Amino acid sequence: GNSVTQMEGPVTLSEEAFLTINCTYTATGYPSLFWYVQYPGEGLQLLLKATKADDKGSNKGFEATYRKETTSFHLEKGSVQVSDSAVYFCALSGGGGYNKLIFGAGTRLAVHP
Amino acid sequence: NAGVTQTPKFQVLKTGQSMTLQCAQDMNHEYMSWYRQDPGMGLRLIHYSVGAGITDQGEVPNGYNVSRSTTEDFPLRLLSAAPSQTSVYFCASSPMRTSGSYGYTFGSGTRLTVV
């Protein structure tokens, strides 16, 4: 079945460091791919998405490129801030005609001044 | 503000008690779903609905019931609470039921503890 695998956290970085959070997926067909962010005590917010191969999603300085050949959708940011500290979830649409999302386990990011 | 509203935010139940978690959205979204979030396991789908009167099971449906009598509301019922149901519950909605390209709008969650 469809699945999403994320790198385990926590990821700890200093402010202004470069961020990469790896995400790979297994899916039939052509799913859409998403990154969600969860700040402490809050629900998930859509960060960015890509709906077809080679698409690049971007938002708030974060980017991810839909790589069908490597079945990956890695999240990157060139210079992280303390305010980026959160849990990040990679997800894919479940396909089958319905909008089911399948989530990875999440990666906690902690950014220190 | 438009969005997904969940109530209550916190709840403590005793084993065997029943309760209903409420979820309402005012965006006229066809698709609604319930997830539970547990440490190290991400979000797991409990039940979902593609429109009023239509519901289906997700990955972990046992011990939960849902109904969808209106487009706006999608309550989740715990029939007889168990400690294994201690979790954070999220309701989410989406505007398109046949397209996987829309993201979800999430509620702020209900933190449930079963003792």
Side-chain angles (χ1 to χ4, degrees), chain A residues 4-5 13 15-16 18 24 26 28 30-31 35 39 44 49-50 55 59 65 67 71 85 89 91 100-101:
Chain A
V4 175
T5 302
L13 295 173
E15 207 165 23
E16 299 184 1
F18 185 86
T24 57
T26 301
T28 55
Y30 301 93
W35 278 100
Y39 298 104
L44 279 72
K49 69 176 183 181
D55 267 2
N59 186 26
T65 301
R67 301 287 189 198
T71 62
S85 298
F89 292 91
K100 285 195 290 185
L101 283 188

PDB file of all heavy atoms in Angstrom, chain A residues 4-5 13 15-16 18 24 26 28 30-31 35 39 44 49-50 55 59 65 67 71 85 89 91 100-101:
ATOM      1  N   VAL A   4       4.588   6.656   3.557  1.00  0.00           N
ATOM      2  CA  VAL A   4       5.526   7.777   3.584  1.00  0.00           C
ATOM      3  C   VAL A   4       6.546   7.522   4.676  1.00  0.00           C
ATOM      4  O   VAL A   4       6.174   7.156   5.805  1.00  0.00           O
ATOM      5  CB  VAL A   4       4.792   9.105   3.868  1.00  0.00           C
ATOM      6  CG1 VAL A   4       5.795  10.247   4.013  1.00  0.00           C
ATOM      7  CG2 VAL A   4       3.783   9.406   2.771  1.00  0.00           C
ATOM      8  N   THR A   5       7.809   7.719   4.364  1.00  0.00           N
ATOM      9  CA  THR A   5       8.895   7.533   5.329  1.00  0.00           C
ATOM     10  C   THR A   5       9.664   8.839   5.482  1.00  0.00           C
ATOM     11  O   THR A   5      10.133   9.413   4.498  1.00  0.00           O
ATOM     12  CB  THR A   5       9.850   6.429   4.881  1.00  0.00           C
ATOM     13  OG1 THR A   5       9.123   5.207   4.707  1.00  0.00           O
ATOM     14  CG2 THR A   5      10.926   6.205   5.923  1.00  0.00           C
ATOM     15  N   LEU A  13      19.273  22.423  15.139  1.00  0.00           N
ATOM     16  CA  LEU A  13      20.111  23.306  14.343  1.00  0.00           C
ATOM     17  C   LEU A  13      20.288  24.638  15.041  1.00  0.00           C
ATOM     18  O   LEU A  13      19.461  25.046  15.860  1.00  0.00           O
ATOM     19  CB  LEU A  13      19.468  23.548  12.971  1.00  0.00           C
ATOM     20  CG  LEU A  13      19.321  22.358  12.032  1.00  0.00           C
ATOM     21  CD1 LEU A  13      18.523  22.768  10.803  1.00  0.00           C
ATOM     22  CD2 LEU A  13      20.680  21.814  11.630  1.00  0.00           C
ATOM     23  N   GLU A  15      20.447  28.783  14.580  1.00  0.00           N
ATOM     24  CA  GLU A  15      19.796  29.767  13.712  1.00  0.00           C
ATOM     25  C   GLU A  15      20.679  30.054  12.502  1.00  0.00           C
ATOM     26  O   GLU A  15      21.903  30.115  12.601  1.00  0.00           O
ATOM     27  CB  GLU A  15      19.541  31.052  14.496  1.00  0.00           C
ATOM     28  CG  GLU A  15      18.370  31.856  13.996  1.00  0.00           C
ATOM     29  CD  GLU A  15      17.907  32.913  14.994  1.00  0.00           C
ATOM     30  OE1 GLU A  15      18.707  33.321  15.850  1.00  0.00           O
ATOM     31  OE2 GLU A  15      16.728  33.311  14.928  1.00  0.00           O
ATOM     32  N   GLU A  16      20.054  30.204  11.350  1.00  0.00           N
ATOM     33  CA  GLU A  16      20.679  30.492  10.059  1.00  0.00           C
ATOM     34  C   GLU A  16      21.323  29.270   9.413  1.00  0.00           C
ATOM     35  O   GLU A  16      21.890  29.392   8.330  1.00  0.00           O
ATOM     36  CB  GLU A  16      21.697  31.635  10.160  1.00  0.00           C
ATOM     37  CG  GLU A  16      21.066  32.959  10.625  1.00  0.00           C
ATOM     38  CD  GLU A  16      22.046  34.110  10.633  1.00  0.00           C
ATOM     39  OE1 GLU A  16      23.220  33.898  10.269  1.00  0.00           O
ATOM     40  OE2 GLU A  16      21.633  35.226  10.998  1.00  0.00           O
ATOM     41  N   PHE A  18      21.372  25.553   7.414  1.00  0.00           N
ATOM     42  CA  PHE A  18      20.609  24.972   6.315  1.00  0.00           C
ATOM     43  C   PHE A  18      19.851  23.739   6.804  1.00  0.00           C
ATOM     44  O   PHE A  18      20.389  22.921   7.547  1.00  0.00           O
ATOM     45  CB  PHE A  18      21.559  24.579   5.173  1.00  0.00           C
ATOM     46  CG  PHE A  18      20.855  24.072   3.943  1.00  0.00           C
ATOM     47  CD1 PHE A  18      20.404  24.963   2.979  1.00  0.00           C
ATOM     48  CD2 PHE A  18      20.626  22.716   3.748  1.00  0.00           C
ATOM     49  CE1 PHE A  18      19.748  24.512   1.841  1.00  0.00           C
ATOM     50  CE2 PHE A  18      19.971  22.249   2.613  1.00  0.00           C
ATOM     51  CZ  PHE A  18      19.531  23.147   1.660  1.00  0.00           C
ATOM     52  N   THR A  24      10.619  10.115   1.691  1.00  0.00           N
ATOM     53  CA  THR A  24      10.426   9.245   0.536  1.00  0.00           C
ATOM     54  C   THR A  24       9.062   8.598   0.634  1.00  0.00           C
ATOM     55  O   THR A  24       8.486   8.488   1.721  1.00  0.00           O
ATOM     56  CB  THR A  24      11.507   8.154   0.455  1.00  0.00           C
ATOM     57  OG1 THR A  24      11.495   7.400   1.662  1.00  0.00           O
ATOM     58  CG2 THR A  24      12.883   8.758   0.251  1.00  0.00           C
ATOM     59  N   THR A  26       6.078   5.626  -1.108  1.00  0.00           N
ATOM     60  CA  THR A  26       5.688   4.500  -1.947  1.00  0.00           C
ATOM     61  C   THR A  26       4.225   4.705  -2.320  1.00  0.00           C
ATOM     62  O   THR A  26       3.387   4.915  -1.424  1.00  0.00           O
ATOM     63  CB  THR A  26       5.843   3.163  -1.197  1.00  0.00           C
ATOM     64  OG1 THR A  26       7.201   3.011  -0.796  1.00  0.00           O
ATOM     65  CG2 THR A  26       5.435   1.998  -2.079  1.00  0.00           C
ATOM     66  N   THR A  28       1.094   4.007  -5.658  1.00  0.00           N
ATOM     67  CA  THR A  28       0.679   3.649  -7.003  1.00  0.00           C
ATOM     68  C   THR A  28       0.100   4.892  -7.655  1.00  0.00           C
ATOM     69  O   THR A  28      -0.421   5.791  -6.982  1.00  0.00           O
ATOM     70  CB  THR A  28      -0.385   2.539  -6.965  1.00  0.00           C
ATOM     71  OG1 THR A  28      -1.468   2.979  -6.136  1.00  0.00           O
ATOM     72  CG2 THR A  28       0.196   1.262  -6.377  1.00  0.00           C
ATOM     73  N   TYR A  30      -0.185   8.498  -9.437  1.00  0.00           N
ATOM     74  CA  TYR A  30       0.508   9.786  -9.389  1.00  0.00           C
ATOM     75  C   TYR A  30      -0.055  10.631  -8.256  1.00  0.00           C
ATOM     76  O   TYR A  30      -0.896  11.495  -8.467  1.00  0.00           O
ATOM     77  CB  TYR A  30       0.344  10.499 -10.739  1.00  0.00           C
ATOM     78  CG  TYR A  30       0.882   9.687 -11.884  1.00  0.00           C
ATOM     79  CD1 TYR A  30       0.050   8.831 -12.622  1.00  0.00           C
ATOM     80  CD2 TYR A  30       2.230   9.730 -12.216  1.00  0.00           C
ATOM     81  CE1 TYR A  30       0.556   8.070 -13.664  1.00  0.00           C
ATOM     82  CE2 TYR A  30       2.743   8.971 -13.255  1.00  0.00           C
ATOM     83  CZ  TYR A  30       1.897   8.137 -13.968  1.00  0.00           C
ATOM     84  OH  TYR A  30       2.387   7.374 -14.992  1.00  0.00           O
ATOM     85  N   PRO A  31       0.418  10.377  -7.047  1.00  0.00           N
ATOM     86  CA  PRO A  31      -0.134  11.109  -5.906  1.00  0.00           C
ATOM     87  C   PRO A  31       0.323  12.556  -5.891  1.00  0.00           C
ATOM     88  O   PRO A  31       1.327  12.914  -6.518  1.00  0.00           O
ATOM     89  CB  PRO A  31       0.440  10.355  -4.704  1.00  0.00           C
ATOM     90  CG  PRO A  31       1.754   9.832  -5.203  1.00  0.00           C
ATOM     91  CD  PRO A  31       1.500   9.452  -6.644  1.00  0.00           C
ATOM     92  N   TRP A  35       3.791  18.961   2.482  1.00  0.00           N
ATOM     93  CA  TRP A  35       4.436  19.137   3.776  1.00  0.00           C
ATOM     94  C   TRP A  35       3.510  19.958   4.656  1.00  0.00           C
ATOM     95  O   TRP A  35       3.015  21.009   4.238  1.00  0.00           O
ATOM     96  CB  TRP A  35       5.778  19.849   3.652  1.00  0.00           C
ATOM     97  CG  TRP A  35       6.902  18.938   3.279  1.00  0.00           C
ATOM     98  CD1 TRP A  35       7.459  18.754   2.057  1.00  0.00           C
ATOM     99  CD2 TRP A  35       7.621  18.068   4.166  1.00  0.00           C
ATOM    100  NE1 TRP A  35       8.465  17.826   2.113  1.00  0.00           N
ATOM    101  CE2 TRP A  35       8.584  17.388   3.403  1.00  0.00           C
ATOM    102  CE3 TRP A  35       7.537  17.795   5.543  1.00  0.00           C
ATOM    103  CZ2 TRP A  35       9.474  16.463   3.958  1.00  0.00           C
ATOM    104  CZ3 TRP A  35       8.412  16.880   6.090  1.00  0.00           C
ATOM    105  CH2 TRP A  35       9.366  16.220   5.306  1.00  0.00           C
ATOM    106  N   TYR A  39       2.989  23.604  14.903  1.00  0.00           N
ATOM    107  CA  TYR A  39       3.626  24.359  15.981  1.00  0.00           C
ATOM    108  C   TYR A  39       3.091  23.865  17.326  1.00  0.00           C
ATOM    109  O   TYR A  39       1.994  23.310  17.395  1.00  0.00           O
ATOM    110  CB  TYR A  39       3.378  25.853  15.791  1.00  0.00           C
ATOM    111  CG  TYR A  39       3.961  26.381  14.504  1.00  0.00           C
ATOM    112  CD1 TYR A  39       3.141  26.658  13.413  1.00  0.00           C
ATOM    113  CD2 TYR A  39       5.335  26.567  14.363  1.00  0.00           C
ATOM    114  CE1 TYR A  39       3.675  27.116  12.228  1.00  0.00           C
ATOM    115  CE2 TYR A  39       5.876  27.023  13.174  1.00  0.00           C
ATOM    116  CZ  TYR A  39       5.034  27.291  12.114  1.00  0.00           C
ATOM    117  OH  TYR A  39       5.562  27.734  10.923  1.00  0.00           O
ATOM    118  N   LEU A  44      -2.307  20.976  12.528  1.00  0.00           N
ATOM    119  CA  LEU A  44      -1.399  20.995  11.390  1.00  0.00           C
ATOM    120  C   LEU A  44      -1.802  22.082  10.399  1.00  0.00           C
ATOM    121  O   LEU A  44      -2.987  22.332  10.171  1.00  0.00           O
ATOM    122  CB  LEU A  44      -1.416  19.639  10.675  1.00  0.00           C
ATOM    123  CG  LEU A  44      -0.568  18.538  11.283  1.00  0.00           C
ATOM    124  CD1 LEU A  44      -1.172  18.029  12.578  1.00  0.00           C
ATOM    125  CD2 LEU A  44      -0.392  17.381  10.286  1.00  0.00           C
ATOM    126  N   LYS A  49       2.937  22.223  -1.251  1.00  0.00           N
ATOM    127  CA  LYS A  49       2.497  21.015  -1.938  1.00  0.00           C
ATOM    128  C   LYS A  49       3.032  20.995  -3.360  1.00  0.00           C
ATOM    129  O   LYS A  49       3.451  22.028  -3.908  1.00  0.00           O
ATOM    130  CB  LYS A  49       0.973  20.928  -1.955  1.00  0.00           C
ATOM    131  CG  LYS A  49       0.313  21.981  -2.834  1.00  0.00           C
ATOM    132  CD  LYS A  49      -1.197  21.792  -2.886  1.00  0.00           C
ATOM    133  CE  LYS A  49      -1.843  22.802  -3.826  1.00  0.00           C
ATOM    134  NZ  LYS A  49      -3.322  22.642  -3.865  1.00  0.00           N
ATOM    135  N   ALA A  50       2.998  19.794  -3.952  1.00  0.00           N
ATOM    136  CA  ALA A  50       3.340  19.614  -5.359  1.00  0.00           C
ATOM    137  C   ALA A  50       2.439  18.524  -5.911  1.00  0.00           C
ATOM    138  O   ALA A  50       2.221  17.498  -5.257  1.00  0.00           O
ATOM    139  CB  ALA A  50       4.802  19.235  -5.525  1.00  0.00           C
ATOM    140  N   ASP A  55       7.469  19.232 -10.083  1.00  0.00           N
ATOM    141  CA  ASP A  55       6.917  20.454  -9.483  1.00  0.00           C
ATOM    142  C   ASP A  55       7.721  20.815  -8.249  1.00  0.00           C
ATOM    143  O   ASP A  55       8.148  19.937  -7.490  1.00  0.00           O
ATOM    144  CB  ASP A  55       5.462  20.231  -9.064  1.00  0.00           C
ATOM    145  CG  ASP A  55       4.488  20.645 -10.140  1.00  0.00           C
ATOM    146  OD1 ASP A  55       4.936  21.063 -11.217  1.00  0.00           O
ATOM    147  OD2 ASP A  55       3.278  20.549  -9.879  1.00  0.00           O
ATOM    148  N   ASN A  59       7.086  27.949   0.163  1.00  0.00           N
ATOM    149  CA  ASN A  59       6.315  28.809   1.053  1.00  0.00           C
ATOM    150  C   ASN A  59       7.193  29.171   2.233  1.00  0.00           C
ATOM    151  O   ASN A  59       7.889  28.312   2.795  1.00  0.00           O
ATOM    152  CB  ASN A  59       5.048  28.108   1.539  1.00  0.00           C
ATOM    153  CG  ASN A  59       4.139  29.006   2.349  1.00  0.00           C
ATOM    154  OD1 ASN A  59       4.155  30.225   2.193  1.00  0.00           O
ATOM    155  ND2 ASN A  59       3.337  28.413   3.201  1.00  0.00           N
ATOM    156  N   THR A  65      10.873  19.553  -3.875  1.00  0.00           N
ATOM    157  CA  THR A  65      10.670  19.196  -5.276  1.00  0.00           C
ATOM    158  C   THR A  65      10.208  17.755  -5.384  1.00  0.00           C
ATOM    159  O   THR A  65      10.805  16.856  -4.775  1.00  0.00           O
ATOM    160  CB  THR A  65      11.963  19.388  -6.088  1.00  0.00           C
ATOM    161  OG1 THR A  65      12.374  20.748  -5.984  1.00  0.00           O
ATOM    162  CG2 THR A  65      11.729  19.048  -7.553  1.00  0.00           C
ATOM    163  N   ARG A  67      10.195  14.472  -6.830  1.00  0.00           N
ATOM    164  CA  ARG A  67      11.119  13.679  -7.637  1.00  0.00           C
ATOM    165  C   ARG A  67      10.551  12.275  -7.808  1.00  0.00           C
ATOM    166  O   ARG A  67      10.652  11.448  -6.904  1.00  0.00           O
ATOM    167  CB  ARG A  67      12.485  13.588  -6.957  1.00  0.00           C
ATOM    168  CG  ARG A  67      13.145  14.928  -6.698  1.00  0.00           C
ATOM    169  CD  ARG A  67      13.649  15.560  -7.949  1.00  0.00           C
ATOM    170  NE  ARG A  67      14.474  16.739  -7.682  1.00  0.00           N
ATOM    171  CZ  ARG A  67      14.761  17.663  -8.580  1.00  0.00           C
ATOM    172  NH1 ARG A  67      14.276  17.568  -9.822  1.00  0.00           N
ATOM    173  NH2 ARG A  67      15.529  18.696  -8.251  1.00  0.00           N
ATOM    174  N   THR A  71      11.417   8.853  -5.938  1.00  0.00           N
ATOM    175  CA  THR A  71      10.234   8.843  -5.048  1.00  0.00           C
ATOM    176  C   THR A  71      10.513   9.627  -3.770  1.00  0.00           C
ATOM    177  O   THR A  71      10.346   9.128  -2.646  1.00  0.00           O
ATOM    178  CB  THR A  71       9.762   7.415  -4.723  1.00  0.00           C
ATOM    179  OG1 THR A  71      10.795   6.693  -4.032  1.00  0.00           O
ATOM    180  CG2 THR A  71       9.376   6.680  -5.983  1.00  0.00           C
ATOM    181  N   SER A  85      10.932  26.276  14.667  1.00  0.00           N
ATOM    182  CA  SER A  85      10.874  25.114  15.547  1.00  0.00           C
ATOM    183  C   SER A  85       9.450  24.566  15.572  1.00  0.00           C
ATOM    184  O   SER A  85       8.498  25.273  15.939  1.00  0.00           O
ATOM    185  CB  SER A  85      11.322  25.488  16.960  1.00  0.00           C
ATOM    186  OG  SER A  85      12.657  25.932  16.962  1.00  0.00           O
ATOM    187  N   PHE A  89       5.530  17.288   8.912  1.00  0.00           N
ATOM    188  CA  PHE A  89       4.961  16.030   8.421  1.00  0.00           C
ATOM    189  C   PHE A  89       4.945  16.031   6.899  1.00  0.00           C
ATOM    190  O   PHE A  89       4.434  16.968   6.278  1.00  0.00           O
ATOM    191  CB  PHE A  89       3.524  15.842   8.898  1.00  0.00           C
ATOM    192  CG  PHE A  89       3.376  15.614  10.367  1.00  0.00           C
ATOM    193  CD1 PHE A  89       3.199  16.674  11.231  1.00  0.00           C
ATOM    194  CD2 PHE A  89       3.407  14.322  10.883  1.00  0.00           C
ATOM    195  CE1 PHE A  89       3.057  16.458  12.598  1.00  0.00           C
ATOM    196  CE2 PHE A  89       3.262  14.100  12.241  1.00  0.00           C
ATOM    197  CZ  PHE A  89       3.088  15.177  13.097  1.00  0.00           C
ATOM    198  N   ALA A  91       3.367  14.118   3.576  1.00  0.00           N
ATOM    199  CA  ALA A  91       2.136  13.370   3.335  1.00  0.00           C
ATOM    200  C   ALA A  91       1.904  13.220   1.845  1.00  0.00           C
ATOM    201  O   ALA A  91       2.392  14.019   1.038  1.00  0.00           O
ATOM    202  CB  ALA A  91       0.942  14.071   3.984  1.00  0.00           C
ATOM    203  N   LYS A 100      -7.918  11.065   0.485  1.00  0.00           N
ATOM    204  CA  LYS A 100      -7.293  10.598   1.717  1.00  0.00           C
ATOM    205  C   LYS A 100      -5.819  10.962   1.728  1.00  0.00           C
ATOM    206  O   LYS A 100      -5.113  10.786   0.738  1.00  0.00           O
ATOM    207  CB  LYS A 100      -7.426   9.077   1.840  1.00  0.00           C
ATOM    208  CG  LYS A 100      -8.809   8.623   2.232  1.00  0.00           C
ATOM    209  CD  LYS A 100      -8.805   7.187   2.695  1.00  0.00           C
ATOM    210  CE  LYS A 100      -8.559   6.238   1.550  1.00  0.00           C
ATOM    211  NZ  LYS A 100      -8.690   4.828   2.007  1.00  0.00           N
ATOM    212  N   LEU A 101      -5.330  11.452   2.851  1.00  0.00           N
ATOM    213  CA  LEU A 101      -3.911  11.746   3.019  1.00  0.00           C
ATOM    214  C   LEU A 101      -3.274  10.710   3.916  1.00  0.00           C
ATOM    215  O   LEU A 101      -3.846  10.320   4.936  1.00  0.00           O
ATOM    216  CB  LEU A 101      -3.703  13.127   3.626  1.00  0.00           C
ATOM    217  CG  LEU A 101      -3.881  14.353   2.725  1.00  0.00           C
ATOM    218  CD1 LEU A 101      -3.441  15.606   3.455  1.00  0.00           C
ATOM    219  CD2 LEU A 101      -3.120  14.196   1.441  1.00  0.00           C
TER     220      LEU A 101
END
